[in-house]
Amino acid sequence: MTSVTAHDYAWTRSSRLFRYALEAGYTLTLVRGVAPREVLQVMTAEPQGTCTGTDALIERQDELLDPTDYWDESFVAGAFAVPGEGGDWTLVLHLGDGGTGMRSRFLETLSAGGRAVVHSSNGGKPMHFFHWYEDGELRTTFEWPTVRGGSTPDALNPVMRDVGFALSDDESETTERVDTKAAVLALTERLTGVRVTEELLQEAEYQLGHVPEEPAEEWTGIVIDIEAAAPIVDCGPSSSTP
């Protein structure tokens, strides 16, 4: 495991790419031991060729999605292989459109017998999320580092403190304010061995896939019991004037 901390990701504060990701939304996923093409297949993505760099990835997203269809939750994902701890990993990046990104059922499948780590932002709201999956199970997840969920919500606490997170509301726990997004990137590297840099993302050759939106749940209708909803009120015997 590397000794990286949030300070190693200070570049995100001045990065044009990262500023766009936070404003428009993004999801960055790392999956161990599954090739990019196989990852896209698990995501039921329709192959869309390749492109080089994040600018081209954003252009393809704009080309393939209808900008007037605000309800369309499909998205374009770009994937490429990168070395990391324990072998090759696949990095999957989705930029823009609110960062809809990876779905939980994909991550459960992709992490079976391995590991998947995800962090994301929905774009300007702001809502930022982190998920760690191991052997098909969501182990630790959080929006705020002090409020964690998953099957083992506290398993990463020592590492989280080490990279720079404050895990209590006591401000004396840390001597300086830490960029939580930089800390999330550092935590991701601790779990994957993959150092994410602006150059890595901008120069990569992405295999592209258009991931369709989730099918709508079948509408079964609603049955209303009118008698139960509107009980009769007894106002007593009526009287009339002759």
Side-chain angles (χ1 to χ4, degrees):
M1 183 178 290
T2 69
S3 59
V4 63
T5 70
H7 296 293
D8 295 289
Y9 284 91
W11 63 265
T12 58
R13 299 174 187 172
S14 58
S15 164
R16 178 184 66 86
L17 170 61
F18 205 72
R19 183 168 59 251
Y20 173 85
L22 292 178
E23 291 174 353
Y26 82 94
T27 301
L28 190 153
T29 305
L30 285 160
V31 179
R32 185 175 63 198
V34 185
R37 187 179 301 278
E38 296 173 0
V39 170
L40 293 175
Q41 287 175 348
V42 170
M43 297 169 66
T44 66
E46 300 174 5
Q48 299 293 333
T50 63
C51 74
T52 301
T54 51
D55 289 342
L57 178 61
I58 295 168
E59 289 177 4
R60 296 299 299 274
Q61 167 91 3
D62 293 341
E63 291 172 1
L64 289 168
L65 300 184
D66 182 355
T68 65
D69 190 352
Y70 299 107
W71 302 106
D72 183 6
E73 294 185 353
S74 66
F75 62 94
V76 174
F80 64 94
V82 60
E85 185 176 301
D88 285 339
W89 293 68
T90 289
L91 188 153
V92 187
L93 181 62
H94 164 60
L95 290 167
D97 195 37
T100 48
M102 277 286 193
R103 294 162 184 155
S104 58
R105 62 185 180 89
F106 300 156
L107 294 164
E108 290 168 0
T109 300
L110 290 169
S111 66
R115 175 176 293 180
V117 182
V118 188
H119 56 86
S120 62
S121 172
N122 68 338
K125 302 300 186 274
M127 295 173 67
H128 308 285
F129 298 98
F130 172 88
H131 309 289
W132 163 42
Y133 282 79
E134 194 88 11
D135 293 327
E137 179 181 51
L138 178 58
R139 297 286 304 276
T140 302
T141 180
F142 59 84
E143 180 182 0
W144 301 102
T146 55
V147 183
R148 299 172 299 279
S151 63
T152 57
D154 299 330
L156 298 179
N157 285 9
V159 182
M160 291 178 69
R161 287 192 177 93
D162 200 30
V163 300
F165 281 112
L167 297 186
S168 75
D169 295 327
D170 183 1
E171 294 184 357
S172 66
E173 184 174 323
T174 58
T175 57
E176 61 179 310
R177 183 176 178 83
V178 173
D179 184 329
T180 54
K181 184 58 73 171
V184 162
L185 282 156
L187 177 61
T188 300
E189 182 176 339
R190 291 284 190 105
L191 290 169
T192 64
V194 176
R195 172 66 59 92
V196 174
T197 66
E198 189 163 18
E199 291 74 21
L200 175 70
L201 299 178
Q202 287 184 335
E203 297 174 4
E205 181 173 337
Y206 294 89
Q207 295 186 37
L208 302 176
H210 182 198
V211 183
E213 62 183 343
E214 296 277 58
E217 294 184 5
E218 184 178 353
W219 177 256
T220 57
I222 300 175
V223 177
I224 300 176
D225 187 338
I226 297 177
E227 293 185 0
I232 299 174
V233 177
D234 186 356
C235 296
S238 62
S239 59
S240 59
T241 302

